[in-house]
Coordinates of all heavy atoms in Angstrom, one line a residue:
M10 N 13.2 15.5 -93.9 CA 13.5 16.8 -93.3 C 12.5 17.0 -92.2 O 11.3 16.7 -92.3 CB 13.2 17.8 -94.4 CG 13.3 19.2 -93.9 SD 13.3 20.5 -95.2 CE 11.6 21.0 -95.3
L11 N 13.0 17.5 -91.1 CA 12.1 17.8 -90.0 C 11.5 19.2 -90.1 O 12.2 20.1 -90.5 CB 12.9 17.7 -88.7 CG 13.4 16.4 -88.3 CD1 14.3 16.5 -87.0 CD2 12.3 15.4 -88.1
R12 N 10.2 19.3 -89.9 CA 9.5 20.6 -90.0 C 9.2 21.0 -88.6 O 8.7 20.3 -87.7 CB 8.3 20.4 -90.8 CG 8.5 20.1 -92.2 CD 7.3 20.1 -93.0 NE 7.6 19.8 -94.4 CZ 6.7 19.3 -95.2 NH1 5.4 19.1 -94.8 NH2 7.0 19.1 -96.5
P13 N 9.4 22.3 -88.3 CA 9.0 22.8 -87.0 C 7.5 22.8 -86.8 O 6.7 23.0 -87.8 CB 9.6 24.3 -87.0 CG 9.9 24.6 -88.4 CD 10.0 23.3 -89.2
D14 N 7.1 22.6 -85.6 CA 5.6 22.6 -85.3 C 5.1 24.1 -85.3 O 5.7 24.9 -84.6 CB 5.5 22.0 -83.9 CG 4.0 21.9 -83.5 OD1 3.1 22.1 -84.3 OD2 3.8 21.6 -82.3
P15 N 4.1 24.3 -86.0 CA 3.5 25.7 -86.1 C 3.1 26.2 -84.7 O 3.2 27.5 -84.5 CB 2.3 25.6 -87.0 CG 2.6 24.4 -87.8 CD 3.4 23.5 -87.0
A16 N 2.8 25.4 -83.8 CA 2.4 25.8 -82.5 C 3.6 26.4 -81.7 O 3.4 27.1 -80.7 CB 1.7 24.7 -81.7
Q17 N 4.8 26.0 -82.1 CA 6.0 26.5 -81.4 C 6.5 27.8 -82.0 O 7.6 28.3 -81.6 CB 7.1 25.4 -81.5 CG 6.7 24.1 -80.8 CD 6.5 24.4 -79.3 OE1 7.2 25.1 -78.7 NE2 5.4 23.8 -78.8
R18 N 5.8 28.5 -82.9 CA 6.2 29.7 -83.5 C 6.5 30.8 -82.4 O 7.6 31.4 -82.5 CB 5.2 30.2 -84.5 CG 5.8 31.4 -85.2 CD 4.8 31.9 -86.3 NE 5.5 32.6 -87.4 CZ 6.3 33.6 -87.3 NH1 6.7 34.0 -86.2 NH2 6.9 34.1 -88.4
P19 N 5.6 31.0 -81.4 CA 6.0 32.0 -80.4 C 7.3 31.7 -79.6 O 8.0 32.6 -79.3 CB 4.7 31.9 -79.4 CG 3.6 31.4 -80.3 CD 4.3 30.4 -81.2
R20 N 7.5 30.4 -79.4 CA 8.7 30.0 -78.7 C 9.9 30.3 -79.5 O 11.0 30.8 -79.0 CB 8.7 28.5 -78.3 CG 9.9 28.0 -77.7 CD 10.0 28.5 -76.2 NE 11.2 27.9 -75.7 CZ 12.2 28.6 -75.1 NH1 12.1 29.9 -74.9 NH2 13.2 28.0 -74.6
L21 N 9.9 30.0 -80.8 CA 11.0 30.3 -81.7 C 11.2 31.8 -81.8 O 12.4 32.3 -81.9 CB 10.7 29.8 -83.1 CG 10.9 28.3 -83.3 CD1 10.4 27.8 -84.7 CD2 12.4 27.9 -83.2
A22 N 10.2 32.6 -81.8 CA 10.3 34.1 -81.9 C 11.0 34.5 -80.6 O 11.9 35.4 -80.6 CB 9.0 34.7 -82.0
E23 N 10.6 33.9 -79.5 CA 11.3 34.3 -78.2 C 12.8 33.9 -78.2 O 13.6 34.7 -77.7 CB 10.6 33.5 -77.1 CG 11.1 33.8 -75.7 CD 10.4 33.0 -74.6 OE1 9.2 32.5 -74.9 OE2 11.0 32.8 -73.5
I24 N 13.1 32.7 -78.7 CA 14.5 32.3 -78.8 C 15.3 33.3 -79.7 O 16.4 33.7 -79.4 CB 14.6 30.9 -79.4 CG1 14.1 29.9 -78.3 CG2 16.0 30.5 -79.8 CD1 13.9 28.5 -78.8
R25 N 14.7 33.7 -80.9 CA 15.3 34.6 -81.8 C 15.6 36.0 -81.0 O 16.7 36.5 -81.1 CB 14.4 34.9 -83.0 CG 15.0 35.9 -83.9 CD 13.9 36.6 -84.8 NE 12.9 37.2 -83.9 CZ 11.6 37.3 -84.3 NH1 11.2 36.9 -85.5 NH2 10.7 37.8 -83.5
D26 N 14.6 36.5 -80.3 CA 14.8 37.7 -79.6 C 15.9 37.6 -78.5 O 16.7 38.5 -78.4 CB 13.5 38.2 -79.0 CG 12.4 38.5 -80.0 OD1 12.8 38.7 -81.2 OD2 11.2 38.5 -79.6
N27 N 15.9 36.5 -77.9 CA 16.9 36.2 -76.8 C 18.3 36.2 -77.4 O 19.3 36.7 -76.9 CB 16.6 35.0 -76.1 CG 17.6 34.7 -75.0 OD1 18.6 34.1 -75.2 ND2 17.3 35.2 -73.8
L28 N 18.4 35.5 -78.6 CA 19.7 35.4 -79.3 C 20.2 36.8 -79.7 O 21.4 37.1 -79.6 CB 19.7 34.5 -80.5 CG 19.6 33.0 -80.1 CD1 19.2 32.2 -81.3 CD2 20.9 32.5 -79.5
V29 N 19.3 37.6 -80.2 CA 19.7 39.0 -80.6 C 20.2 39.8 -79.4 O 21.3 40.4 -79.5 CB 18.5 39.7 -81.3 CG1 18.8 41.2 -81.5 CG2 18.2 39.0 -82.6
A30 N 19.5 39.6 -78.3 CA 20.0 40.3 -77.1 C 21.3 39.8 -76.6 O 22.2 40.6 -76.2 CB 18.9 40.2 -76.0
R31 N 21.5 38.5 -76.7 CA 22.8 37.9 -76.3 C 23.9 38.3 -77.2 O 25.1 38.5 -76.7 CB 22.7 36.4 -76.2 CG 21.8 36.0 -75.0 CD 21.6 34.5 -74.9 NE 22.8 33.8 -74.8 CZ 22.9 32.5 -74.9 NH1 21.9 31.8 -75.2 NH2 24.1 31.9 -74.8
I32 N 23.7 38.4 -78.5 CA 24.7 38.9 -79.4 C 25.1 40.3 -79.1 O 26.3 40.7 -79.1 CB 24.2 38.7 -80.9 CG1 24.1 37.2 -81.3 CG2 25.1 39.5 -81.9 CD1 23.4 37.0 -82.6
T33 N 24.1 41.2 -78.8 CA 24.4 42.6 -78.5 C 25.3 42.6 -77.2 O 26.2 43.4 -77.1 CB 23.1 43.3 -78.3 OG1 22.3 43.2 -79.4 CG2 23.3 44.8 -77.9
E34 N 24.9 41.8 -76.2 CA 25.7 41.8 -75.0 C 27.1 41.3 -75.2 O 28.1 41.9 -74.7 CB 25.0 40.9 -73.9 CG 25.7 40.8 -72.6 CD 25.1 39.7 -71.7 OE1 24.2 39.0 -72.1 OE2 25.6 39.7 -70.5
A35 N 27.2 40.2 -76.0 CA 28.6 39.7 -76.3 C 29.4 40.7 -77.0 O 30.6 40.8 -76.8 CB 28.4 38.4 -77.1
G36 N 28.8 41.5 -77.9 CA 29.6 42.5 -78.6 C 30.0 43.6 -77.7 O 31.1 44.1 -77.8
R37 N 29.1 44.0 -76.8 CA 29.5 45.0 -75.8 C 30.6 44.6 -74.9 O 31.5 45.4 -74.5 CB 28.2 45.4 -75.0 CG 28.3 46.5 -74.1 CD 27.0 46.9 -73.4 NE 26.4 45.8 -72.7 CZ 25.2 45.2 -73.0 NH1 24.5 45.7 -74.0 NH2 24.8 44.2 -72.3
E38 N 30.6 43.3 -74.5 CA 31.6 42.7 -73.6 C 32.9 42.3 -74.3 O 33.9 42.0 -73.7 CB 31.0 41.6 -72.8 CG 29.9 41.9 -71.9 CD 30.2 42.9 -70.8 OE1 31.4 42.8 -70.3 OE2 29.3 43.7 -70.4
G39 N 32.9 42.3 -75.7 CA 34.0 41.9 -76.4 C 34.2 40.4 -76.5 O 35.4 39.9 -76.7
W40 N 33.2 39.6 -76.4 CA 33.3 38.1 -76.5 C 33.1 37.7 -77.9 O 32.0 37.2 -78.3 CB 32.2 37.5 -75.6 CG 32.3 37.9 -74.2 CD1 33.4 38.2 -73.4 CD2 31.2 37.9 -73.2 NE1 33.0 38.5 -72.2 CE2 31.7 38.3 -72.0 CE3 29.8 37.7 -73.4 CZ2 30.9 38.5 -70.9 CZ3 29.0 37.8 -72.2 CH2 29.6 38.2 -71.0
L41 N 34.2 37.8 -78.7 CA 34.1 37.6 -80.2 C 33.7 36.1 -80.5 O 32.9 35.9 -81.4 CB 35.4 38.0 -80.8 CG 35.8 39.5 -80.7 CD1 37.1 39.7 -81.4 CD2 34.7 40.4 -81.2
G42 N 34.3 35.2 -79.8 CA 34.0 33.8 -80.0 C 32.5 33.5 -79.7 O 31.8 32.7 -80.4
E43 N 32.0 34.1 -78.7 CA 30.6 33.9 -78.3 C 29.7 34.5 -79.4 O 28.6 33.9 -79.7 CB 30.4 34.6 -76.9 CG 29.0 34.4 -76.3 CD 28.8 33.0 -75.8 OE1 29.8 32.2 -75.6 OE2 27.6 32.6 -75.5
I44 N 30.0 35.6 -79.9 CA 29.2 36.2 -81.0 C 29.1 35.3 -82.2 O 28.0 35.1 -82.7 CB 29.8 37.5 -81.5 CG1 29.7 38.6 -80.3 CG2 29.1 38.1 -82.7 CD1 30.5 39.9 -80.6
E45 N 30.2 34.6 -82.6 CA 30.1 33.7 -83.7 C 29.2 32.6 -83.5 O 28.3 32.2 -84.3 CB 31.5 33.2 -84.0 CG 31.6 32.5 -85.3 CD 33.0 32.1 -85.7 OE1 33.9 32.7 -85.2 OE2 33.2 31.1 -86.4
G46 N 29.2 32.0 -82.3 CA 28.4 30.8 -82.0 C 26.9 31.2 -81.9 O 26.0 30.5 -82.4
L47 N 26.7 32.4 -81.3 CA 25.3 32.9 -81.2 C 24.7 33.2 -82.6 O 23.5 33.0 -82.8 CB 25.2 34.1 -80.3 CG 25.5 33.8 -78.8 CD1 25.6 35.1 -78.0 CD2 24.4 33.0 -78.2
E48 N 25.5 33.8 -83.5 CA 25.1 34.1 -84.8 C 24.7 32.8 -85.6 O 23.7 32.8 -86.4 CB 26.1 34.9 -85.6 CG 26.2 36.3 -85.1 CD 27.3 37.1 -85.8 OE1 28.2 36.5 -86.4 OE2 27.3 38.3 -85.7
V49 N 25.4 31.7 -85.4 CA 25.0 30.4 -86.0 C 23.7 30.0 -85.5 O 22.8 29.6 -86.2 CB 26.1 29.4 -85.7 CG1 25.7 28.0 -86.2 CG2 27.4 29.7 -86.4
S50 N 23.5 30.1 -84.2 CA 22.2 29.7 -83.6 C 21.1 30.6 -84.1 O 20.0 30.2 -84.4 CB 22.3 29.8 -82.1 OG 23.2 28.9 -81.6
L51 N 21.4 31.9 -84.2 CA 20.4 32.8 -84.7 C 20.0 32.5 -86.2 O 18.8 32.6 -86.5 CB 20.9 34.3 -84.6 CG 20.0 35.4 -85.2 CD1 18.7 35.4 -84.4 CD2 20.7 36.7 -85.1
A52 N 21.0 32.1 -87.0 CA 20.7 31.8 -88.4 C 19.7 30.6 -88.4 O 18.8 30.5 -89.2 CB 21.9 31.5 -89.1
G53 N 19.9 29.6 -87.5 CA 19.1 28.4 -87.4 C 17.7 28.8 -87.0 O 16.7 28.3 -87.6
A54 N 17.5 29.6 -86.0 CA 16.2 30.1 -85.6 C 15.5 30.9 -86.7 O 14.3 30.6 -86.9 CB 16.3 30.9 -84.3
L55 N 16.2 31.7 -87.4 CA 15.6 32.5 -88.5 C 15.2 31.6 -89.6 O 14.1 31.8 -90.2 CB 16.6 33.5 -89.0 CG 16.9 34.7 -88.0 CD1 17.9 35.6 -88.6 CD2 15.6 35.5 -87.7
D56 N 15.9 30.5 -89.9 CA 15.6 29.6 -90.9 C 14.3 28.8 -90.6 O 13.4 28.6 -91.4 CB 16.8 28.6 -91.1 CG 16.5 27.6 -92.3 OD1 16.1 28.1 -93.4 OD2 16.7 26.4 -92.1
K57 N 14.2 28.4 -89.3 CA 13.0 27.7 -88.9 C 11.7 28.6 -89.0 O 10.7 28.2 -89.4 CB 13.1 27.1 -87.5 CG 14.1 25.9 -87.5 CD 14.2 25.3 -86.1 CE 15.1 24.1 -86.2 NZ 15.0 23.2 -85.1
L58 N 11.9 29.9 -88.6 CA 10.8 30.8 -88.7 C 10.4 31.0 -90.1 O 9.2 31.1 -90.5 CB 11.2 32.1 -88.0 CG 11.2 32.1 -86.5 CD1 11.8 33.4 -85.9 CD2 9.8 31.9 -85.9
A59 N 11.4 31.1 -91.0 CA 11.1 31.2 -92.4 C 10.4 30.0 -93.0 O 9.5 30.1 -93.8 CB 12.4 31.5 -93.2
Q60 N 10.8 28.8 -92.5 CA 10.1 27.6 -92.9 C 8.6 27.6 -92.5 O 7.7 27.3 -93.3 CB 10.7 26.4 -92.3 CG 12.0 25.9 -92.9 CD 12.6 24.7 -92.2 OE1 12.0 24.1 -91.4 NE2 13.9 24.5 -92.5
L61 N 8.4 28.1 -91.3 CA 7.0 28.2 -90.8 C 6.2 29.2 -91.6 O 5.0 28.9 -92.0 CB 7.0 28.6 -89.3 CG 7.3 27.5 -88.3 CD1 7.4 28.1 -86.9 CD2 6.3 26.4 -88.3
D62 N 6.8 30.3 -91.9 CA 6.1 31.3 -92.8 C 5.8 30.8 -94.1 O 4.7 31.0 -94.7 CB 6.9 32.6 -92.8 CG 7.0 33.3 -91.5 OD1 6.2 33.1 -90.6 OD2 8.0 34.1 -91.4
A63 N 6.7 30.1 -94.7 CA 6.5 29.5 -96.1 C 5.4 28.4 -96.1 O 4.6 28.4 -97.0 CB 7.8 28.9 -96.6
D64 N 5.4 27.6 -95.1 CA 4.4 26.5 -95.0 C 3.0 27.2 -94.8 O 2.1 26.7 -95.4 CB 4.7 25.6 -93.8 CG 5.8 24.7 -94.1 OD1 6.2 24.5 -95.2 OD2 6.3 24.0 -93.1
E65 N 3.0 28.2 -94.0 CA 1.7 28.9 -93.8 C 1.2 29.6 -95.1 O 0.0 29.5 -95.4 CB 1.8 29.9 -92.7 CG 0.5 30.6 -92.3 CD 0.7 31.6 -91.1 OE1 1.5 31.4 -90.3 OE2 -0.1 32.6 -91.1
A66 N 2.1 30.2 -95.8 CA 1.7 30.9 -97.0 C 1.3 29.8 -98.1 O 0.3 30.1 -98.8 CB 2.9 31.7 -97.5
R67 N 2.0 28.7 -98.1 CA 1.7 27.7 -99.1 C 0.3 27.0 -98.8 O -0.4 26.7 -99.7 CB 2.8 26.6 -99.0 CG 2.7 25.6 -100.2 CD 3.9 24.7 -100.2 NE 5.2 25.3 -99.9 CZ 5.9 25.0 -98.8 NH1 5.6 24.1 -97.9 NH2 7.1 25.6 -98.6
S68 N 0.0 26.9 -97.5 CA -1.3 26.3 -97.2 C -2.5 27.2 -97.4 O -3.6 26.7 -97.5 CB -1.3 25.8 -95.7 OG -1.3 27.0 -94.8
R69 N -2.3 28.5 -97.6 CA -3.4 29.4 -97.9 C -3.7 29.5 -99.3 O -4.7 30.1 -99.7 CB -3.0 30.8 -97.3 CG -3.0 30.8 -95.8 CD -2.8 32.2 -95.4 NE -2.7 32.3 -93.9 CZ -2.4 33.4 -93.2 NH1 -2.1 34.5 -93.9 NH2 -2.4 33.4 -91.9
Q70 N -2.8 29.1 -100.2 CA -3.0 29.2 -101.6 C -3.9 28.1 -102.1 O -3.9 27.0 -101.7 CB -1.6 29.1 -102.4 CG -0.7 30.2 -102.1 CD 0.7 30.0 -102.8 OE1 0.9 28.9 -103.3 NE2 1.5 31.0 -102.8
P71 N -4.8 28.5 -103.1 CA -5.7 27.5 -103.7 C -4.9 26.4 -104.4 O -3.8 26.7 -105.0 CB -6.6 28.3 -104.6 CG -5.8 29.5 -104.9 CD -4.9 29.8 -103.7
V72 N -5.5 25.3 -104.5 CA -4.8 24.1 -105.2 C -5.4 24.0 -106.6 O -6.7 23.9 -106.7 CB -5.0 22.8 -104.4 CG1 -4.5 21.6 -105.1 CG2 -4.4 22.9 -103.0
D73 N -4.6 23.9 -107.6 CA -5.1 23.8 -109.0 C -5.3 22.3 -109.2 O -4.4 21.5 -109.1 CB -4.0 24.3 -110.0 CG -4.5 24.1 -111.4 OD1 -5.7 23.9 -111.6 OD2 -3.6 24.1 -112.3
L74 N -6.6 21.9 -109.4 CA -6.9 20.5 -109.6 C -6.8 20.1 -111.0 O -7.1 18.9 -111.3 CB -8.4 20.3 -109.1 CG -8.6 20.6 -107.6 CD1 -10.0 20.4 -107.2 CD2 -7.7 19.7 -106.7
G75 N -6.5 21.0 -111.9 CA -6.3 20.6 -113.3 C -7.6 20.2 -114.0 O -7.7 19.1 -114.5
M76 N -8.6 21.1 -113.9 CA -9.9 20.8 -114.5 C -9.7 20.6 -116.0 O -9.1 21.5 -116.6 CB -10.9 21.9 -114.2 CG -11.2 22.0 -112.7 SD -12.0 20.6 -112.0 CE -13.6 20.8 -112.8
P77 N -10.3 19.6 -116.6 CA -10.1 19.4 -118.0 C -11.0 20.4 -118.8 O -12.0 20.8 -118.3 CB -10.7 17.9 -118.2 CG -11.6 17.7 -117.1 CD -11.0 18.5 -115.9
S78 N -10.5 20.7 -119.9 CA -11.3 21.6 -120.8 C -12.4 20.8 -121.5 O -12.5 19.6 -121.4 CB -10.4 22.2 -121.9 OG -10.0 21.2 -122.8
F79 N -13.4 21.5 -122.0 CA -14.5 20.9 -122.7 C -14.0 20.0 -123.8 O -14.6 18.9 -124.0 CB -15.5 21.9 -123.2 CG -16.7 21.3 -123.9 CD1 -17.7 20.7 -123.2 CD2 -16.7 21.3 -125.3 CE1 -18.7 20.1 -123.9 CE2 -17.8 20.7 -126.0 CZ -18.8 20.1 -125.3
A80 N -13.0 20.4 -124.6 CA -12.5 19.6 -125.7 C -12.0 18.3 -125.2 O -12.1 17.2 -125.8 CB -11.4 20.4 -126.4
Q81 N -11.3 18.3 -124.0 CA -10.8 17.0 -123.5 C -11.9 16.1 -123.0 O -11.8 14.9 -123.2 CB -9.9 17.3 -122.3 CG -8.6 18.0 -122.7 CD -7.8 18.4 -121.4 OE1 -8.4 18.9 -120.4 NE2 -6.5 18.4 -121.5
V82 N -13.0 16.6 -122.5 CA -14.1 15.8 -122.0 C -15.0 15.4 -123.1 O -15.5 14.2 -123.1 CB -14.9 16.6 -120.9 CG1 -16.1 15.8 -120.4 CG2 -14.0 17.0 -119.7
A83 N -15.3 16.2 -124.1 CA -16.2 15.9 -125.1 C -15.7 14.7 -126.0 O -16.5 14.0 -126.6 CB -16.4 17.1 -126.0
G84 N -14.4 14.4 -126.1 CA -13.9 13.4 -126.9 C -14.0 12.0 -126.3 O -13.7 11.0 -126.9
R85 N -14.5 11.9 -125.1 CA -14.5 10.6 -124.4 C -15.7 9.8 -124.8 O -16.8 10.4 -125.0 CB -14.6 10.8 -122.9 CG -13.3 11.4 -122.3 CD -13.3 11.4 -120.9 NE -12.0 12.1 -120.4 CZ -11.8 12.3 -119.2 NH1 -12.7 12.1 -118.2 NH2 -10.6 12.9 -118.8
A86 N -15.6 8.5 -124.9 CA -16.7 7.6 -125.3 C -17.4 7.1 -124.0 O -16.8 7.1 -122.9 CB -16.2 6.5 -126.1
S87 N -18.6 6.7 -124.2 CA -19.4 6.2 -123.1 C -18.7 4.8 -122.6 O -18.2 4.1 -123.4 CB -20.8 5.9 -123.5 OG -21.5 5.3 -122.5
S88 N -18.8 4.5 -121.3 CA -18.2 3.3 -120.8 C -19.3 2.2 -120.7 O -19.1 1.2 -120.0 CB -17.5 3.6 -119.5 OG -18.5 4.0 -118.6
A89 N -20.5 2.4 -121.2 CA -21.6 1.4 -121.1 C -21.2 0.1 -121.9 O -20.6 0.2 -122.9 CB -22.9 2.0 -121.7
S90 N -21.5 -1.0 -121.3 CA -21.2 -2.3 -121.9 C -22.2 -2.6 -123.0 O -23.4 -2.4 -122.9 CB -21.2 -3.4 -120.9 OG -20.3 -3.2 -119.8
P91 N -21.7 -3.1 -124.1 CA -22.6 -3.5 -125.2 C -23.5 -4.7 -124.8 O -23.1 -5.5 -124.0 CB -21.7 -3.9 -126.4 CG -20.4 -4.2 -125.8 CD -20.3 -3.4 -124.5
G92 N -24.7 -4.7 -125.3 CA -25.6 -5.8 -125.0 C -26.5 -5.5 -123.8 O -27.3 -6.3 -123.5
L93 N -26.3 -4.4 -123.1 CA -27.2 -4.1 -122.0 C -28.3 -3.2 -122.5 O -28.0 -2.2 -123.2 CB -26.4 -3.4 -120.9 CG -25.4 -4.3 -120.2 CD1 -24.7 -3.5 -119.1 CD2 -26.0 -5.6 -119.6
G94 N -29.5 -3.5 -122.1 CA -30.6 -2.7 -122.6 C -30.8 -1.4 -121.7 O -30.1 -1.2 -120.8
P95 N -31.8 -0.6 -122.1 CA -32.0 0.7 -121.4 C -32.5 0.4 -120.0 O -32.5 1.3 -119.2 CB -33.0 1.4 -122.3 CG -33.6 0.4 -123.1 CD -32.6 -0.7 -123.3
E96 N -33.0 -0.8 -119.7 CA -33.6 -1.0 -118.3 C -32.5 -1.2 -117.3 O -32.7 -1.2 -116.1 CB -34.4 -2.3 -118.3 CG -35.7 -2.1 -119.1 CD -35.6 -2.3 -120.6 OE1 -34.6 -3.0 -121.0 OE2 -36.4 -1.8 -121.3
G97 N -31.2 -1.4 -117.7 CA -30.1 -1.5 -116.7 C -29.4 -2.8 -116.9 O -29.6 -3.5 -117.8
A98 N -28.5 -3.0 -116.0 CA -27.6 -4.2 -116.0 C -28.4 -5.4 -115.9 O -29.4 -5.6 -115.2 CB -26.6 -4.1 -114.9
G99 N -28.0 -6.4 -116.7 CA -28.7 -7.7 -116.7 C -29.9 -7.8 -117.6 O -30.4 -8.9 -117.9
S100 N -30.3 -6.7 -118.2 CA -31.4 -6.8 -119.1 C -30.9 -7.0 -120.5 O -29.9 -6.5 -121.0 CB -32.2 -5.4 -119.2 OG -32.7 -5.1 -117.9
P101 N -31.6 -7.9 -121.3 CA -31.1 -8.2 -122.6 C -31.4 -7.1 -123.5 O -32.3 -6.3 -123.3 CB -32.0 -9.4 -123.0 CG -33.2 -9.4 -122.1 CD -32.7 -8.7 -120.9
D102 N -30.5 -6.9 -124.5 CA -30.7 -5.9 -125.5 C -31.8 -6.2 -126.5 O -31.8 -7.3 -127.0 CB -29.4 -5.7 -126.3 CG -29.4 -4.5 -127.2 OD1 -30.4 -3.8 -127.2 OD2 -28.4 -4.3 -127.9
R103 N -32.8 -5.4 -126.7 CA -33.9 -5.7 -127.5 C -33.6 -5.8 -129.0 O -34.3 -6.5 -129.7 CB -35.0 -4.6 -127.3 CG -35.6 -4.6 -125.9 CD -36.6 -3.5 -125.8 NE -36.9 -3.3 -124.4 CZ -38.0 -3.6 -123.8 NH1 -39.0 -4.0 -124.6 NH2 -38.2 -3.4 -122.6
T104 N -32.5 -5.2 -129.4 CA -32.1 -5.2 -130.8 C -31.3 -6.5 -131.1 O -31.2 -6.9 -132.3 CB -31.2 -4.0 -131.2 OG1 -30.1 -4.0 -130.4 CG2 -32.0 -2.7 -131.0
A105 N -30.9 -7.2 -130.1 CA -30.1 -8.5 -130.4 C -31.0 -9.6 -130.7 O -30.6 -10.7 -131.1 CB -29.3 -8.8 -129.1
R106 N -32.3 -9.6 -130.6 CA -33.3 -10.7 -130.8 C -33.4 -10.9 -132.3 O -33.5 -10.4 -133.2 CB -34.6 -10.4 -130.2 CG -34.5 -10.5 -128.7 CD -35.9 -10.3 -128.1 NE -35.7 -10.1 -126.7 CZ -36.7 -9.7 -125.9 NH1 -37.9 -9.6 -126.4 NH2 -36.5 -9.5 -124.7

């Protein structure tokens, strides 16, 4: 799906306003076929503006990172390898002697 560029929002608003003015003019002049085509274009412009508004609103909302509860974290075991002493990796375990 193609997304409209947020920087083009003023241009889309200008196109929408122009289409509304042209629909009014076509109604005044009795150009019924022209009105139908312009209304299709207006619907497309309004849809793109709605997409931009939805994307902007979505980007402002906080993201739920799914922080684990204490019960989920407390049940985890240590990942230390057996046989390693308190001095760090590569040190022999003093209790293994």
